[in-house]
Amino acid sequence: MLCFGDSNTYGFDSRSYFGERYPANERWVGILADSLGVECVNLSENGRRIPARGTAPALAPGEYMIIMLGGNDLLEGYTARQCGEALESFLRRSDPGAGRVLVVAPPPFTLGAWVGSPELVEESKLLAAEYEHAAANVGALFADASAWGVETLYDGVHFSPDGHRAFARGIEPHVRRMISANREE
């Protein structure tokens, strides 16, 4: 399972002075790997935006990918619609492989040190509809993390340790269905 995302997938702990990560067993990627008993490769970076050029890593037979991006794009002034269009373009260039890529709309922002306006919170809530549309257009699967009870830290963006656990619990059934559906083919 390849996990391609930004700081929340990377496991950034915004409480740390030097920008450290949570321990592997506290990041949603590590929790998911333990729960599923599969190798999850974290290909994420702090600050990653939806790539305007290039592609996601190619999937080998038997590999799957989770993609969660867009938070940094919103923080830099892009709209949810622009994020959805950019994500669809990125997915088309990446040739997602029918049913082997799960696009995740990140949980909406909350007001905090990095999110000072209610308008930005509202814009982040619009990502889910845009991403669902983009995923459907390219044959990728979709999950909306807004219903998973993901807690953020003081900044309104980064997951708390409890948020990582909630995210892992929320995404697990989507990943199990993706894997199961592909085994049946």
Side-chain angles (χ1 to χ4, degrees), residues 9-13 16 19-24 27 42 44 46:
T9 301
Y10 177 79
F12 175 69
D13 182 353
S16 67
E20 294 145 1
R21 297 167 88 175
Y22 291 112
R27 299 178 218 144
N42 195 328
S44 301
N46 287 337

Side-chain angles (χ1 to χ4, degrees), residues 3-113:
C3 301
F4 189 82
D6 57 24
S7 55
N8 276 321
T9 301
Y10 177 79
F12 175 69
D13 182 353
S14 65
R15 303 168 304 174
S16 67
Y17 186 73
F18 293 108
E20 294 145 1
R21 297 167 88 175
Y22 291 112
N25 65 347
E26 290 183 23
R27 299 178 218 144
W28 72 260
V29 173
I31 297 166
L32 182 66
D34 288 345
S35 178
L36 294 175
V38 300
E39 180 184 9
C40 290
V41 179
N42 195 328
L43 300 175
S44 301
E45 298 175 358
N46 287 337
R48 178 178 275 150
R49 293 180 37 206
I50 300 166
R53 291 180 296 283
T55 63
L59 295 177
E63 287 184 337
Y64 303 91
M65 185 180 304
I66 298 168
I67 297 177
M68 183 172 68
L69 293 165
N72 292 306
D73 303 83
L74 288 174
L75 290 170
E76 291 189 21
Y78 291 86
T79 65
R81 173 157 296 195
Q82 290 168 322
C83 291
E85 290 168 354
L87 183 67
E88 183 173 334
S89 176
F90 173 65
L91 291 169
R92 285 189 188 285
R93 288 191 314 274
S94 300
D95 186 22
R100 295 194 304 144
V101 173
L102 176 63
V103 171
V104 180
F109 295 150
T110 58
L111 289 174

Side-chain angles (χ1 to χ4, degrees), residues 95-129:
D95 186 22
R100 295 194 304 144
V101 173
L102 176 63
V103 171
V104 180
F109 295 150
T110 58
L111 289 174
W114 289 24
V115 182
S117 75
E119 293 80 17
L120 184 53
V121 171
E122 291 306 310
E123 195 65 31
S124 72
K125 292 177 182 178
L126 300 175
L127 276 181

Side-chain angles (χ1 to χ4, degrees), residues 126-146:
L126 300 175
L127 276 181
E130 297 294 336
Y131 282 16
E132 184 173 25
H133 180 75
N137 285 344
V138 299
L141 303 171
F142 171 75
D144 179 3
S146 66

